[in-house]
Structure formats: structure tokens, C-alpha cells
């Protein structure tokens, strides 16, 4: 690092200072300095921001820390590009640290201005500009936070609507099954009275009760049949019932088939109770089968309700610590279930999970927000194609990171806007349907808070958002402080005054 002569004419030739007076240029050279740097680092991300750097000659590279790697975000040889403490004029209202690392790849010269001097000069020479920049900085930050809250509320509303729809189906099924069960139980009581008053011997009644128990066991073990097998078995049971004088056998056959009963079972029943008591026994057993099937339906419906409630609790993470070791597959499944109502039947969901992946340290509630934003974008993209398509969710090991990839078969993202998709307020959705903060929020959560990486690959019919999360623990306090820095993937240099 070498101190060199500061030439006011050279400084004035830079676009940043070209409108300054000779007196102002003289002050810059008096209070600042020109320094030469050999290839290597100039400053590191996270260090106190002590200086403002303007490139005079050479090549600079800006990089940001992503997990355990430095990712290059800007490289320039243009005279006048600047980096470093360019927020010094904001004073103590923001944390004055370097938000990226700067290095040079060839011998380079910079005009270097101490941060305190840069702040003083800005306020002395450009007071109106400082007020405008302060308003822009804090106004944008406040607007971003407010719209971010709105974005989360919109997502919550969408999830609530989907969850309500998903809960309504099993709940309504349970209500219908309960009403039908009440009728069947009443019919069973009536048939029990008829049997008790009928010409049944004591041993016959005992046999009938035993057959009833075996029938209930058969119902519990029934296996699903193909449509062709079901039709064939219903025909066989209907014929058997007609041959044995059972009226309306075609009404009873479908229930018996659903319960896994066949003609061999009916032969055993006939042999056990005798031909004279067979019709009453068959109808009594039909009530037994129907009540068992209805109770199975109620159990299935309430299990689905319980599963949805558990998924909602898993998604919200309300009863869990904010930072914990989490299974990404559980988080993905809960989010997919919460959004299933929004996706509709024409979108096919393919899960390509590597179940051998370890759990990772993370903020699960915020990762679920990332999944929600990326899935919602994929669904919206496929909705532009008549709502048809395939959503593929894949997990894999990628070096020392865990990869979560969301792929959709939508129209793709044009090449000329791919670099802007993570910018705050940028959206391709119609007015009123998007705030442009979903991907910005996702970027902040993945990159700044989890020290991971979020990338986009897109072609017509194949768009993929790839989330890479570190496998090793990150200090939650350090991760939290990272959210206060810029969330856009490119920041730090400019060829125009900012």
C-alpha cells in the first residue's frame, strides 16, 4: 500500500467530482489521499467502514460472503466506480460496516477519503441531496418493511383460504358419515328387536353374534379392489343373494364388496344360521358392515383433520423455538399441504426427496415462508398456461450444502429480466396480484439470515429456483444482524452517483 500524490485535475476528471470547483477539489486532495494497492484484499466484509474508495486505475472486485464462500458480485475497471463507506452520511443511524469485501486483481490506484471527512463534505456541499438520500434510504426501508408485512398477510390469507377448504372436505364427510351412522344404528336396534322376537334358537343367536364379530374383523382387513374386480364381485354377490331368496340383493352387494366379503363368506353364514333365518341374518349383518364402514370413514376424516392441523402447526412453528435443527422434508411437506388447495387438481406435484439428508440448523418458520413464495410463484407461472403443469420439489446434497430445488413447467422467465427478479418491488404479476417483495424476502432469509444461496435457472417449460443451505450451525445472533444489510445480490459499486 503506497501513498501517492493527489492531483486535483485527475480527481476532477472523474464523473463523481466533475462539477466541483477548484477550491472543492483542493479540499478533497487536502483531506483525502491517493493510494496504490498491489493485487490482494483492500478491506473485508463486516469490518468497520472507515474509508470511501474511488477507483483511479486498475481493476476491482467486490464479493459477498455466502455461507463459507465469497461470491463475486461486481468486477470493474471503469474510472470513478466507488465502494466502501458510501453510507457514512447517515451517521450512527445505520451500522457503519463494509457490506462486501473489496480486492484488486492488478496494481491499482484509489482516491481514498476517510468516512468522517466524506460525511462532512456531503453535508457541507450537498445538504439538500443528503436530505433526499436520507429520505430515500429510510423511506425505502420503511416501505419495504410495511409491504413485507402486507406480503406475509397476503400469503397468510391465501394459506387460510386453502386450509379452510382442505378442512371443510373431511369435516363435511365426518358429519355426513355420523348422520348415516345414526340411522344405521337405529336400524340395527330395530332389527335386533325383530330377531329377538323371531323364531331364533339360543344357539343360533350365539352363532349369529360370532358371525357378526368375524364380519367386523373382515371389514377392518378389507383391501381395495380395481373397478373391474369390484364389478365382478358385485355381480357374483347379487346372484348369490337372489338365488337364496334375499330381496333387493343388488342393494346389499356393493356394501358387502366394499367390506371385502365374497360368496364364500356368504356360504359360511348360510351354513351357520340355516336357510330359514338367513334373510334376517343377512340384513342384520348388513347393518354391521355399514356401521363399520361408516366408522372407518369417520376415522379417516378426523385423521385428515388432525393431519391438517399438525401441518398448520408445523408450518407456523408457533410452538417451537425460532432457531433449531429442522428436517427440511417436514417443512416442505407441511407447506405443500397448506398450499394444496391453491394448486388445484391440474397441477401435478412430484417429490424427489433424498431422505438420507441430515437435519440442518435453521429458522424453520422463515424457511416455510421461502417455500411458500417459491411455490406460489411456480403455481402462478403455470396458471398462465391454463393452470396445467408439474411442480417438482427436489432435495439433494450439494457439497457442504443442502439443496432444495423448486421446478415448474411454466413459460419461463425472459433472460432480460432474470437479473432483476430478486430486486425489491420488481414483479411480473398483474397490478394488485403481487407486491414484488416475495423473492426479495426469500433472498434475505436464505442469504442474509441462513448464509445460504438462492439462484434461478430458467428456460421455457423448465424454471428452477435453487436454495442452498449450509449443513453446519450458524450463530443465530450473527445471522439475525445480517438481515439489516442490503438484501440485493448486487450492491457496492456504481458508475453513477447513488
Amino acid at each position: 500500500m503506497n501513498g501517492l500524490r493527489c492531483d486535483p485535475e485527475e480527481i476532477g476528471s472523474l464523473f463523481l467530482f466533475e462539477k466541483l470547483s477548484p477550491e472543492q477539489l483542493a479540499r478533497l486532495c487536502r483531506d483525502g489521499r491517493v493510494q496504490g494497492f498491489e493485487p490482494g484484499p483492500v478491506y473485508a466484509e463486516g469490518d468497520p467502514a472507515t474509508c470511501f474508495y474511488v477507483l483511479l486505475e486498475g481493476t476491482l472486485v467486490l464479493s459477498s460472503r455466502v455461507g463459507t464462500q465469497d461470491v463475486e458480485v461486481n468486477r470493474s475497471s471503469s474510472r470513478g466506480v466507488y465502494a466502501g463507506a458510501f453510507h457514512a452520511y447517515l451517521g450512527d443511524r445505520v451500522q457503519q460496516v463494509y457490506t462486501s469485501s473489496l480486492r484488486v486483481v492488478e496494481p491499482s490506484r484509489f482516491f481514498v477519503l476517510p468516512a468522517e471527512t466524506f460525511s462532512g463534505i456531503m453535508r457541507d456541499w450537498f445538504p439538500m441531496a443528503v436530505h433526499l438520500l436520507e429520505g430515500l434510504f429510510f423511506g425505502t426501508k420503511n416501505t419495504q418493511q410495511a409491504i413485507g408485512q402486507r406480503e406475509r398477510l397476503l400469503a397468510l390469507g391465501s394459506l387460510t383460504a386453502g386450509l379452510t377448504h382442505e378442512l371443510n372436505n373431511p369435516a363435511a364427510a365426518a358429519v355426513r358419515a355420523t348422520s348415516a351412522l345414526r340411522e344405521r344404528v337405529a336400524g340395527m336396534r330395530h332389527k335386533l328387536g325383530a330377531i329377538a322376537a323371531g323364531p331364533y334358537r339360543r344357539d343360533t343367536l350365539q352363532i349369529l353374534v360370532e358371525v357378526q364379530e368375524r364380519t367386523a374383523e373382515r371389514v377392518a382387513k378389507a383391501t381395495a379392489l380395481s373397478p373391474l374386480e369390484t364389478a365382478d364381485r358385485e355381480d357374483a354377490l347379487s346372484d348369490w343373494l337372489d338365488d337364496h331368496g334375499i330381496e333387493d340383493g343388488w342393494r346389499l352387494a356393493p356394501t358387502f364388496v366394499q367390506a371385502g366379503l365374497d360368496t364364500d363368506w356368504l356360504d359360511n353364514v348360510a351354513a351357520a344360521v340355516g336357510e330359514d333365518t338367513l334373510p334376517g341374518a343377512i340384513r342384520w349383518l348388513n347393518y354391521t358392515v355399514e356401521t363399520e364402514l361408516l366408522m372407518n370413514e369417520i376415522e379417516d376424516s378426523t385423521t385428515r383433520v388432525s393431519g391438517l392441523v399438525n401441518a398448520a402447526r408445523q408450518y407456523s412453528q408457533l410452538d417451537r423455538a425460532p432457531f433449531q435443527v429442522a428436517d427440511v422434508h417436514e417443512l416442505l411437506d407441511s407447506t405443500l399441504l397448506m398450499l394444496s388447495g391453491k394448486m388445484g387438481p391440474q397441477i401435478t406435484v412430484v417429490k424427489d426427496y433424498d431422505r438420507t439428508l441430515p437435519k440442518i440448523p435453521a429458522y424453520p418458520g422463515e424457511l416455510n415462508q421461502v417455500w411458500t413464495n417459491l411455490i406460489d410463484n411456480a403455481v402462478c407461472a403455470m396458471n398462465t398456461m391454463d393452470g396445467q403443469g408439474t411442480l417438482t420439489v427436489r432435495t439433494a446434497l450439494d457439497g457442504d450444502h443442502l439443496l432444495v430445488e423448486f421446478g415448474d413447467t411454466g413459460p419461463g422467465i425472459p433472460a432480460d429480466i432474470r437479473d432483476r427478479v430478486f430486486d425489491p418491488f420488481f414483479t411480473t404479476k398483474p397490478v394488485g396480484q403481487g407486491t414484488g417483495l416475495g423473492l426479495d424476502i426469500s433472498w434475505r432469509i436464505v442469504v442474509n439470515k441462513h448464509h445460504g444461496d438462492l439462484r434461478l435457472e430458467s428456460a421455457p417449460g423448465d424454471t428452477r429456483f435453487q436454495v442452498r443451505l449450509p449443513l453446519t450451525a450458524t450463530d443465530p445472533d450473527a445471522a439475525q444482524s445480517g438481515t439489516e444489510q442490503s438484501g440485493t445480490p448486487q450492491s457496492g459499486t456504481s458508475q453513477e452517483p447513488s
Side-chain angles (χ1 to χ4, degrees), residues 345-376:
Q346 293 182 303
I347 293 180
T348 302
V349 178
V350 176
K351 299 179 182 179
D352 183 10
Y353 291 170
D354 180 357
R355 294 286 186 178
T356 65
L357 293 174
K359 295 182 178 181
I360 61 171
Y363 293 86
E366 301 203 24
L367 285 182
N368 281 338
Q369 187 178 357
V370 174
W371 312 151
T372 300
N373 292 335
L374 298 181
I375 293 171
D376 182 70

Side-chain angles (χ1 to χ4, degrees), residues 129-436:
V130 168
H131 286 304
L132 291 174
L133 289 171
E134 287 177 339
L136 178 63
F137 181 86
F138 292 108
T140 300
K141 185 176 181 180
N142 293 336
T143 301
Q144 202 165 325
Q145 290 176 344
I147 296 184
Q149 290 180 332
R150 177 63 176 170
E151 180 88 12
R152 287 188 286 270
L153 287 174
L154 288 174
L156 179 60
S158 176
L159 288 171
T160 301
L163 180 60
T164 302
H165 174 76
E166 292 298 315
L167 285 171
N168 181 66
N169 291 334
V175 170
R176 290 193 301 269
T178 302
S179 177
L181 179 61
R182 182 176 288 108
E183 294 178 4
R184 298 305 184 274
V185 172
M188 182 179 289
R189 290 197 302 267
H190 175 74
K191 181 58 68 176
L192 179 61
I195 290 175
Y200 294 94
R201 298 191 308 274
R202 181 186 183 92
D203 57 340
T204 301
L205 289 175
Q206 184 176 357
I207 292 173
L208 188 59
V209 171
E210 292 176 356
V211 171
Q212 181 187 36
E213 292 296 327
R214 292 199 300 271
T215 301
E217 293 175 1
R218 288 286 294 269
V219 174
K221 299 176 182 178
T223 58
L225 301 176
S226 68
L228 183 60
E229 291 173 329
T230 298
D232 290 343
R233 188 170 292 187
E234 286 181 2
D235 290 340
L237 285 175
S238 295
D239 293 341
W240 191 97
L241 294 170
D242 291 341
D243 293 342
H244 288 76
I246 310 296
E247 295 182 0
D248 296 332
W250 61 274
R251 293 182 182 274
L252 304 178
T255 302
F256 287 157
V257 171
Q258 186 180 357
L261 308 179
D262 52 22
T263 54
D264 292 338
W265 173 81
L266 291 177
D267 287 335
N268 293 333
V269 173
V273 300
E275 289 293 332
D276 55 336
T277 58
L278 180 61
I282 289 295
R283 297 194 181 281
W284 160 257
L285 293 176
N286 179 63
Y287 282 121
T288 300
V289 171
E290 287 185 326
T291 55
E292 289 294 324
L293 291 175
L294 288 170
M295 285 190 289
N296 287 346
E297 185 176 348
I298 292 172
E299 181 182 19
D300 178 67
S301 298
T302 53
T303 299
R304 288 173 58 195
V305 170
S306 177
L308 286 166
V309 172
N310 287 335
R313 185 166 59 246
Q314 170 75 16
Y315 178 85
S316 66
Q317 296 286 315
L318 290 177
D319 58 345
R320 305 190 182 191
F323 187 81
Q324 58 178 284
V325 176
D327 185 343
V328 293
H329 301 115
E330 293 180 357
L331 304 181
L332 290 167
D333 286 341
S334 67
T335 305
L336 287 168
L337 184 56
M338 294 289 285
L339 291 171
S340 58
K342 185 172 185 178
M343 284 186 272
Q346 293 182 303
I347 293 180
T348 302
V349 178
V350 176
K351 299 179 182 179
D352 183 10
Y353 291 170
D354 180 357
R355 294 286 186 178
T356 65
L357 293 174
K359 295 182 178 181
I360 61 171
Y363 293 86
E366 301 203 24
L367 285 182
N368 281 338
Q369 187 178 357
V370 174
W371 312 151
T372 300
N373 292 335
L374 298 181
I375 293 171
D376 182 70
N377 280 352
V379 171
C380 288
M382 289 185 284
N383 282 339
T384 64
M385 304 176 66
D386 299 326
Q388 297 182 345
T390 300
L391 171 67
T392 302
V393 183
R394 183 172 72 93
T395 63
L397 187 64
D398 185 8
D400 58 351
H401 284 68
L402 186 149
L403 169 68
V404 182
E405 182 180 79
F406 297 86
D408 69 73
T409 56
I413 299 175
D416 58 337
I417 65 171
R418 287 177 199 164
D419 292 339
R420 302 177 58 196
V421 296
F422 296 109
D423 290 351
F425 309 110
F426 178 78
T427 179
T428 59
K429 296 178 182 178
V431 176
Q433 295 186 20
T435 62

